[in-house]
Amino acid sequence: MKNRYYVVEPDKIVADDLAHAIRVHDPAAEVIVFHEPDAVLDVLDEQPPTAVLLNHNPRGFRRTKVGLALQELRVPYAFSGLLSEAEADGAEILPTPFTENSVANVLRRMVPED
């Protein structure tokens, strides 16, 4: 089964770059880009992702509709940006600016290869 990743990023250029970096790491992957976090809710049950990379303030994220849904489905997620471990509340952090290697490293931690 191929992996499916969600990218939640309001900036189209950044979202496209992130999607490209994911495909470099996992060429067979399906990458779906959303520009608003709540848009994820429309497809989450029908097309559950392997992992989610999102540009979102981590403060209180676990209590948002998207955060609760991802936790319920046990979908790993990572926040992008200049964040500390404490701010991420246990989630992975993709530092920005990111590279193909930094994206691959985060994905390996989120989705260990079999």
Side-chain angles (χ1 to χ4, degrees), residues 14 17-18 80-82 94-103:
V14 175
D17 286 349
L18 187 50
S80 62
L82 302 172
L94 174 62
T96 56
F98 58 83
T99 65
E100 290 175 1
N101 285 338
S102 65
V103 170

Side-chain angles (χ1 to χ4, degrees), residues 3-21:
N3 290 321
R4 176 181 294 127
Y5 299 98
Y6 288 176
V7 171
V8 182
E9 170 58 57
D11 185 294
K12 182 181 178 351
I13 293 171
V14 175
D16 289 346
D17 286 349
L18 187 50
H20 171 77

Side-chain angles (χ1 to χ4, degrees), residues 19-65:
H20 171 77
I22 292 169
R23 289 184 188 106
V24 167
H25 169 71
D26 187 349
E30 177 182 11
V31 182
I32 303 173
V33 174
F34 301 91
H35 297 289
E36 296 291 329
D38 286 346
V40 169
L41 296 171
D42 295 336
V43 298
L44 194 56
D45 289 331
E46 301 161 17
Q47 299 177 329
T50 306
V52 179
L53 300 171
L54 62 150
N55 179 336
H56 194 286
N57 183 344
R59 179 178 224 135
F61 178 76
R62 288 177 169 245
R63 294 184 304 276
T64 66
K65 289 180 183 179

